């Protein structure tokens, strides 16, 4: 293949990149200690390993299976509120 054809193909593939979602649907996996899972259970977060909750979310009563809107940033999860 010609160099210019290869370069054009690579540039076309670059436009297909899908950025990761801005927020996730987190599921309350355990109530005590508060544990939330994201990405279909592939990542679990507790207060000891990066879970942070807004004041609104912390004031709510959580049960296993409850869903919440959350932002995943680096190695931590910020739970915004119950969905």
């Amino acid at each position: 293949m010609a160099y210019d054809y290869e370069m054009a193909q690579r540039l076309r593939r670059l436009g297909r990149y899908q950025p990761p979602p801005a927020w996730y649907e987190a599921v309350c996996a355990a109530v005590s200690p508060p544990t939330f899972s994201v990405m279909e259970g592939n990542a679990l977060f507790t207060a000891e390993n990066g879970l942070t909750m807004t004041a609104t979310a912390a004031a709510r009563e959580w049960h296993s299976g409850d869903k919440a809107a959350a932002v995943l940033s680096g190695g931590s999860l910020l739970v915004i509120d119950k969905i």
Side-chain angles (χ1 to χ4, degrees):
M1 270 190 237
Y3 172 76
D4 55 345
Y5 180 79
E6 260 185 65
M7 183 60 108
Q9 291 297 324
R10 287 182 186 174
L11 290 173
R12 276 186 58 202
R13 284 192 295 266
L14 283 176
R16 295 185 185 150
Y17 171 74
Q18 294 292 326
W23 65 277
Y24 290 87
E25 182 180 279
V27 178
C28 181
V31 177
S32 182
T35 305
F36 284 85
S37 68
V38 291
M39 299 183 291
E40 298 175 1
N42 289 320
L44 287 173
F45 292 91
T46 62
E48 289 82 30
N49 72 355
L51 176 67
T52 307
M53 300 175 82
T54 61
T56 304
R60 295 205 183 273
E61 185 176 324
W62 293 95
H63 304 285
S64 289
D66 286 347
K67 296 180 181 179
V71 176
L72 184 60
S73 176
S76 62
L77 182 74
L78 171 64
V79 176
I80 299 173
D81 202 0
K82 195 180 267 193
I83 297 178

